[in-house]
């Protein structure tokens, strides 16, 4: 009897922000089910205190909203509350950075492209 490990390639992480360069890390990630993942989105635009997160699953045309961080207040869509957590602090006159955590990774439902979008208004 041999043990088989299953590894899933499941994110290409992209950032969106008109007129501002958005940095995202990591670009691609490979993890096994049950692990925790952190995706980070950042930019230099000090007056953009809103960051939204989206998921696009393979074969699905819909872009699903996970939630957002506005200054230091976060909100998650109900369907994403169990396995997803948004954190960060977008307040103050500094570069902005926020994280999306996926806890207790499930495959294949968490295999997707994840997007962040930054803006100045809620």
């Amino acid at each position: 009897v041999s043990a088989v490990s299953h590894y899933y390639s499941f994110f290409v992480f992209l950032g969106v922000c008109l007129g501002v360069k958005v940095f995202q890390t990591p670009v691609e990630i490979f993890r096994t089910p049950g692990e925790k993942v952190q995706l980070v989105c950042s930019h230099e635009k000090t007056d953009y205190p809103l960051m939204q997160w989206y998921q696009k699953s393979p074969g699905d045309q819909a872009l699903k909203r996970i939630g957002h961080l506005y200054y230091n207040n976060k909100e998650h869509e109900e369907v994403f509350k169990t396995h997803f957590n948004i954190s960060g602090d977008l307040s103050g006159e500094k570069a902005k950075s926020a994280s999306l955590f996926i806890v207790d990774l499930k495959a294949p439902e968490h295999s997707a492209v994840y997007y962040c979008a930054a803006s100045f208004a809620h």
Side-chain angles (χ1 to χ4, degrees):
V1 177
S2 63
V4 178
S5 293
H6 294 282
Y7 291 88
Y8 296 91
S9 163
F10 58 98
F11 329 108
V12 174
F13 178 53
L14 304 170
V16 178
C17 183
L18 295 176
V20 176
K21 186 165 184 167
V22 176
F23 302 93
Q24 56 277 331
T25 56
V27 173
E28 185 174 12
I29 232 171
F30 297 87
R31 292 289 186 268
T32 57
E35 291 187 327
K36 181 178 180 179
V37 173
Q38 180 181 8
L39 305 175
V40 179
C41 187
S42 61
H43 62 80
E44 301 286 325
K45 191 79 171 157
T46 61
D47 60 343
Y48 275 41
L50 174 66
M51 203 162 298
Q52 304 220 42
W53 296 88
Y54 299 90
Q55 179 193 63
K56 186 168 186 316
S57 300
D60 191 348
Q61 296 301 315
L63 192 61
K64 296 175 218 149
R65 184 177 176 276
I66 297 168
H68 72 265
L69 181 66
Y70 184 59
Y71 291 100
N72 58 6
N73 299 312
K74 61 184 174 180
E75 178 185 298
H76 296 82
E77 296 295 332
E78 193 64 39
V79 69
F80 290 103
K81 282 184 177 180
T82 303
H83 293 278
F84 292 79
N85 185 30
I86 297 169
S87 73
D89 185 354
L90 303 178
S91 61
E93 293 297 316
K94 62 183 187 291
K96 307 300 183 201
S97 179
S99 294
L100 175 67
F101 291 93
I102 307 172
V103 294
D104 190 21
L105 195 62
K106 303 292 183 199
E109 60 263 34
H110 293 156
S111 298
V113 178
Y114 290 85
Y115 296 88
C116 72
S119 74
F120 60 88
H122 185 62

